[in-house]
Amino acid sequence: MYDNERCLIFDESGNLGVLGRYFVISCIDTMNAKSLHNIMKRKLKQAGDKFPELKSLHAHEIKAKDAYPGVKYHILESIISKDVTISYIIIDLYHIEERLLRDKNILYNFASKILISKLITKADEGKTVNILFDNKTTKIASKNSLREYIIAHIVYEEGLDVNINFEYKDSDAGDAFIIQAADYVANALYAKYEYGNGIYEKLIRKKVNIVQHFPYKNFGK
């Protein structure tokens, strides 16, 4: 599974322009997706065995929003025990222009580009970078438009010689436990900004690499 290749695993939490103030796009950055996959598979099975009512909701998935606080905390502990870093962009929807809120596809693509452009650099030239998104992202961003937008920016605008492998995975599939890890991270970050519940964000803070507020000047005001 992506042996010795960098994986940028994305998920989001919040609602673009419908409910709430904040929207977060988070990324788990790792060179060892297999190790992350294995621990998530094991921990989610343990949680499902202990709490069958959670296991019954999906085939292979226990979503962070459904997990009990103790389960969520333990899974986040397991994620940060691995060789990962976490980066994210948090959007303050109160300061986004109305026309961008109407076109969620453009807003999502633009915010993703801001974050990915900070993650992929000249150090990645000559290498493969795997960019993974949850299939549910297609509800707010077109698969093709996001892929083409990101590749055009990295390869043509930034001029980087990077082989980008862009994938969408069903988070409820048996091979998508790394996507579920990103779900737990996004949920932890959203809880801090939207509800002021920082217990989960504090836990993962030591693994945070890049934090981007958008729009920068008015964020949180």
Side-chain angles (χ1 to χ4, degrees):
M1 177 183 288
Y2 312 109
D3 290 340
N4 299 315
E5 291 180 351
R6 189 180 182 198
C7 286
L8 303 178
I9 309 155
F10 289 85
D11 203 8
E12 66 274 345
S13 189
N15 214 312
L16 277 180
V18 180
L19 296 171
R21 176 170 184 172
Y22 295 103
F23 184 85
V24 61
I25 301 173
S26 68
C27 173
I28 295 178
D29 187 351
T30 184
M31 292 290 292
N32 196 342
K34 185 175 182 180
S35 179
L36 182 62
H37 167 91
N38 289 342
I39 199 168
M40 285 297 295
K41 182 177 182 180
R42 185 167 70 253
K43 294 300 180 180
L44 288 171
K45 183 181 185 304
Q46 290 172 355
D49 290 344
K50 189 170 183 178
F51 303 105
E53 67 274 21
L54 297 179
K55 188 176 182 180
S56 66
L57 297 174
H58 303 278
H60 297 96
E61 183 178 24
I62 298 175
K63 287 187 174 296
K65 67 180 180 64
D66 298 324
Y68 300 132
V71 171
K72 191 183 301 186
Y73 197 89
H74 182 60
I75 288 175
L76 286 167
E77 283 183 316
S78 301
I79 292 169
I80 64 172
S81 74
K82 296 303 176 182
D83 184 15
V84 303
T85 60
I86 293 166
S87 296
Y88 64 95
I89 183 168
I90 180 83
I91 303 170
D92 184 345
L93 299 172
Y94 283 9
H95 297 294
I96 298 298
E97 292 183 25
E98 182 65 29
R99 58 188 180 134
L100 274 180
L101 289 177
R102 287 196 302 268
D103 197 330
K104 298 173 185 177
N105 185 62
I106 292 176
L107 178 56
Y108 190 94
N109 287 0
F110 185 69
S112 297
K113 185 199 76 169
I114 291 173
L115 183 56
I116 291 173
S117 66
K118 291 181 179 296
L119 288 163
I120 299 180
T121 66
K122 288 190 72 67
D124 296 297
E125 288 199 306
K127 302 173 185 176
T128 294
V129 177
N130 300 284
I131 298 179
L132 294 90
F133 279 89
D134 188 342
N135 256 334
K136 77 174 186 298
T137 301
T138 59
K139 292 181 180 178
I140 50 175
S142 161
K143 279 186 181 181
N144 290 333
S145 72
L146 179 57
R147 177 184 180 277
E148 291 165 1
Y149 185 67
I150 296 302
I151 291 177
H153 175 72
I154 297 298
V155 176
Y156 297 105
E157 292 182 21
E158 296 292 328
L160 297 178
D161 179 19
V162 180
N163 178 35
I164 298 176
N165 177 39
F166 212 102
E167 293 184 36
Y168 282 86
K169 286 184 174 290
D170 182 349
S171 60
D172 197 22
D175 66 344
F177 288 101
I178 54 177
I179 297 292
Q180 293 190 50
D183 171 53
Y184 277 80
V185 168
N187 179 269
L189 295 167
Y190 182 71
K192 175 197 172 183
Y193 286 92
E194 189 66 42
Y195 303 115
N197 178 3
I199 185 171
Y200 305 113
E201 182 274 338
K202 186 176 180 180
L203 173 65
I204 66 176
R205 191 181 298 167
K206 64 183 179 181
K207 288 286 188 171
V208 169
N209 176 27
I210 295 167
V211 178
Q212 181 72 45
H213 293 161
F214 181 79
Y216 179 75
K217 288 184 178 180
N218 298 321
F219 184 89
K221 295 180 181 178

